[in-house]
Amino acid sequence: MNTLLTGCSRHSFCAFAPNDNNLGHRIGRHEGLTRISGREGLLAALRDGNRFQVMRVKTEQKRVRDAMNRSQIPVSIFDNLLQPALVLDCDGRVIVWNDSMARYTGIPAEEIVGKGGYAHGEALFGEACPTLANSVLARDETGGGHYRLLRREGEELLAESHIPAQSGRTVVCMAAPLYDTGGRQIGAIETICETPEDREDRESRWVPEEQVRILASTLPEMIFTLDRDGTFTQFFWTTGRTLGINPDEVVGRTPHALLPPEEADFLAGAARRVVEMGGAVSETRTFAWRGEERSFQITVHPLHNASGQPVAATGVGREITWEIACNEASRLSSLYLDLLGTDIYNTSMVAATIIEMLRDRLTGEEAELAQRVKITIEQGINVIKNVELLTTLNKHRIRLEPVDLSAVIRDQMQRYAGIDIRYEGGTCMVWASPLLEHTISNLISNSIKFGGMKVRIEISVMETADTVMLSIADTGIGIPDHLKPNIFDRFSREGSKTSSGGRGLGLHIVKTLVNQFGGRVWAADRVPGRPEEGAAIKMILQKC
């Protein structure tokens, strides 16, 4: 038997079957089609869903096609519905219990189809009670007390309920009548339009949008969406409120309501370009706005629909006015310091040269005083060099090369002529850079600072198969044990508590350089266990 369901209204259905005298049911002719009447006819037609297909009758082909075009719904479609669905006949017996309903309730169709006595209500609510489909059959809106009516459209009912009742989870149900071709009601259909899982999936789709809204409302950047016509559909700018801009008043308006004409044209044009051509637009804009010159980094990207077509533009405007001002101030400060450092360095070098010439003409105490002045000036020169060197080390990583450690030590000994520096050693090659001289110079200068002009400095080198250990010891005031771990920190506070001033910057540069050479450095005592007899700075370098 071939059967067709076709709609008599938007949500009611009519059942048809071809003329077949062997059906054994009460069948009447209706314009070339047979009309199924009564519960038995509907039950037989619906149960035979596997054989349903669109009937074709040559003599009534046009009439059937017109009926199909109005609302063609094969009965077998119920088993393919994603929503749980049931169909009752006029006596309240279950005619259809689709697969989705069976999965939802855990009750298979064979256990409930054909049953009355509100068996379907017991499956849904745990008690034999009428459901929304029974309300349609009885033409009332109570739904057995388990439903809250949301809307009635003609004979269709839309209601909320808790199914199962004990779950406490709300679902939305729809029920509508079924009619035969003569307009007589022969049953009712009820579907669970939205299960808790459906609702959670639907609601979860809003989570990213709400998350974006919350984040956008807390970030300092201007975040916006423009449609194809250049109208704001979303606008967030927390910082803008300090300028008297209410983001809620911007939505629905064009950039011309917010920005100067030229900038508004740019933003609207950028949105139009990314929608029409795809890609992104990023540009820094500087313009006079609200009494000040302001700079913004504007970035605009396309937004795509489900088909992948650009339909709108979204963007971020980050104000960089202060960032640009700070960068300019930093640039000018660096230039000023460079000029100042260069002038001081040149002046100090001239003074050191003059003092050196004067010292060669003096003898005795006068020559010693001249030497002290020369060393003091050179220490000032070292400060300038250390600042420049630290800036360089922070920006660039040095390249290692073979360096003659002994040659560097002897060059620095000549710079500090007049200081008792003792060193015996031959050629010793290590992996370093020309900056190694700053390491030796800073350590010698540090010893003089904390030991005075009468200090004795002992430099020793001990080689192993792969490394070289360099030790620079002095007879100065020494380093207390509790200060040794932090003596290489930048501007060490503990080191600056000594009467002679801080050890921080020079030793910090020593540690920075040695680390870049692949070695390590630490503080010790000249005489082990006796810090009051002088300090020793030791380092290990990689041997070539």
Side-chain angles (χ1 to χ4, degrees):
M1 176 180 65
N2 298 327
T3 305
L4 173 71
L5 283 185
T6 184
C8 299
S9 65
R10 191 163 66 91
H11 291 293
S12 60
F13 306 96
C14 297
F16 295 88
N19 188 6
D20 188 345
N21 293 327
N22 297 321
L23 285 176
H25 301 290
R26 288 177 292 135
I27 298 176
R29 296 187 179 276
H30 182 76
E31 296 182 341
L33 300 176
T34 59
R35 185 182 66 218
I36 299 174
S37 61
R39 181 182 64 81
E40 293 81 0
L42 178 60
L43 178 61
L46 293 175
R47 282 182 175 174
D48 201 19
N50 290 334
R51 298 177 56 199
F52 290 167
Q53 60 182 1
V54 178
M55 68 170 294
R56 300 179 183 271
V57 181
K58 288 185 177 181
T59 59
E60 296 293 337
Q61 194 173 49
K62 184 177 186 300
R63 189 184 304 276
V64 173
R65 186 182 296 114
D66 292 342
M68 291 168 58
N69 288 338
R70 286 195 298 271
S71 180
Q72 173 185 323
I73 304 179
V75 175
S76 58
I77 198 172
F78 288 122
D79 280 335
N80 296 317
L81 283 178
L82 296 178
Q83 295 91 351
L86 64 90
V87 176
L88 302 180
D89 65 11
C90 289
D91 294 326
R93 291 183 174 86
V94 179
I95 299 301
V96 171
W97 189 265
N98 75 347
D99 293 341
S100 295
M101 183 67 82
R103 287 193 298 270
Y104 184 63
T105 60
I107 299 175
E110 56 267 22
E111 293 183 11
I112 197 168
V113 170
K115 290 185 178 181
Y118 303 125
H120 61 294
E122 185 173 0
L124 292 175
F125 295 105
E127 60 176 297
C129 62
T131 70
L132 201 61
N134 294 104
S135 296
V136 171
L137 293 174
R139 300 183 185 279
D140 66 48
E141 299 177 359
T142 61
H146 288 288
Y147 296 84
R148 182 176 72 87
L149 185 65
L150 296 177
R151 185 175 68 249
R152 170 186 282 277
E153 291 187 10
E155 295 179 291
E156 173 195 337
L157 300 179
L158 191 69
E160 279 187 342
S161 181
H162 299 292
I163 299 177
Q166 60 269 23
S167 73
R169 297 184 298 181
T170 302
V171 298
V172 176
C173 302
M174 183 275 290
L178 289 172
Y179 292 94
D180 65 10
T181 56
R184 183 174 57 182
Q185 184 172 348
I186 57 175
I189 179 173
E190 179 174 354
T191 63
I192 300 175
C193 304
E194 185 181 64
T195 66
E197 292 78 12
D198 295 333
R199 175 170 294 178
E200 289 171 4
D201 289 343
R202 177 175 59 81
E203 292 177 350
S204 68
R205 290 194 295 267
W206 292 95
V207 170
E209 182 174 340
E210 182 180 8
Q211 185 179 36
V212 169
R213 180 182 59 80
I214 293 173
L215 290 175
S217 63
T218 57
L219 294 174
E221 287 80 7
M222 179 195 304
I223 301 174
F224 56 88
T225 301
L226 289 163
D227 63 17
R228 188 185 298 270
D229 297 327
T231 300
F232 285 112
T233 57
Q234 286 184 317
F235 187 85
F236 305 95
W237 194 21
T238 304
T239 308
R241 293 186 181 275
T242 62
L243 302 174
I245 297 173
N246 184 351
D248 296 334
E249 296 177 355
V250 176
V251 175
R253 307 173 73 180
T254 68
H256 290 83
L258 178 68
L259 300 170
E262 184 176 351
E263 301 309 313
D265 290 341
F266 161 76
L267 191 57
R272 185 167 53 255
R273 289 200 303 275
V274 301
V275 172
E276 294 176 353
M277 304 177 62
V281 173
S282 182
E283 190 170 323
T284 298
R285 308 287 296 185
T286 300
F287 52 92
W289 189 43
R290 295 181 178 265
E292 294 184 30
E293 185 174 79
R294 299 176 180 272
S295 297
F296 287 84
Q297 178 65 47
I298 304 293
T299 303
V300 185
H301 291 267
L303 285 177
H304 302 82
N305 60 15
S307 301
Q309 297 298 318
V311 293
T314 185
V316 176
R318 184 170 67 91
E319 185 170 6
I320 56 175
T321 306
W322 293 109
E323 183 178 326
I324 292 176
C326 289
N327 289 340
E328 180 64 14
S330 177
R331 186 187 68 82
L332 293 175
S333 296
S334 297
L335 177 61
Y336 174 76
L337 290 176
D338 287 344
L339 294 174
L340 184 61
T342 300
D343 287 345
I344 294 176
Y345 178 82
N346 291 337
T347 302
S348 298
M349 287 299 293
V350 172
T353 302
I354 293 174
I355 293 296
E356 176 69 19
M357 294 172 61
L358 179 61
R359 185 181 66 85
D360 291 340
R361 297 179 182 183
L362 299 175
T363 59
E365 185 177 353
E366 289 82 2
E368 182 179 343
L369 289 174
Q371 178 65 17
R372 289 187 179 185
V373 173
K374 178 177 180 292
I375 291 176
T376 300
I377 293 174
E378 288 182 341
Q379 286 178 339
I381 294 173
N382 276 341
V383 171
I384 297 173
K385 286 185 175 181
N386 284 337
V387 172
E388 293 176 345
L389 178 58
L390 193 59
T391 302
T392 301
L393 293 177
N394 288 334
K395 292 182 178 179
H396 308 286
R397 183 160 185 85
I398 60 178
R399 294 181 57 185
L400 300 184
E401 59 185 67
V403 177
D404 187 342
L405 175 60
S406 294
V408 173
I409 294 173
R410 296 186 189 282
D411 286 344
Q412 294 303 312
M413 289 174 63
Q414 292 181 2
R415 283 191 57 199
Y416 291 94
I419 302 298
D420 186 3
I421 301 177
R422 304 177 183 182
Y423 170 68
E424 292 182 2
T427 302
C428 180
M429 303 299 293
V430 297
W431 286 108
S433 79
L435 297 177
L436 180 60
E437 68 175 34
H438 290 278
T439 301
I440 309 301
S441 175
N442 278 339
L443 292 179
I444 294 175
S445 177
N446 196 69
S447 294
I448 297 172
K449 181 189 299 183
F450 290 92
M453 297 298 294
K454 300 295 185 180
V455 69
R456 186 177 75 251
I457 299 174
E458 299 171 350
I459 301 177
S460 63
V461 173
M462 184 174 67
E463 298 184 48
T464 65
D466 300 318
T467 63
V468 173
M469 187 177 74
L470 170 66
S471 174
I472 299 181
D474 61 64
T475 56
I477 61 175
I479 304 172
D481 290 339
H482 70 282
L483 297 182
K484 287 184 176 73
N486 301 319
I487 202 67
F488 296 97
D489 292 347
R490 187 176 180 180
F491 301 117
S492 171
R493 292 184 178 180
E494 290 82 358
S496 64
K497 291 178 181 177
T498 62
S499 59
S500 302
R503 298 177 181 264
L505 186 57
L507 291 182
H508 174 70
I509 289 177
V510 169
K511 181 180 179 180
T512 301
L513 284 170
V514 172
N515 286 344
Q516 293 202 13
F517 296 157
R520 65 186 185 91
V521 62
W522 69 96
D525 300 324
R526 185 179 68 86
V527 179
R530 296 183 181 180
E532 69 280 0
E533 294 189 18
I537 304 298
K538 299 184 178 183
M539 68 180 72
I540 290 180
L541 300 173
Q542 299 298 314
K543 185 177 180 182
C544 290

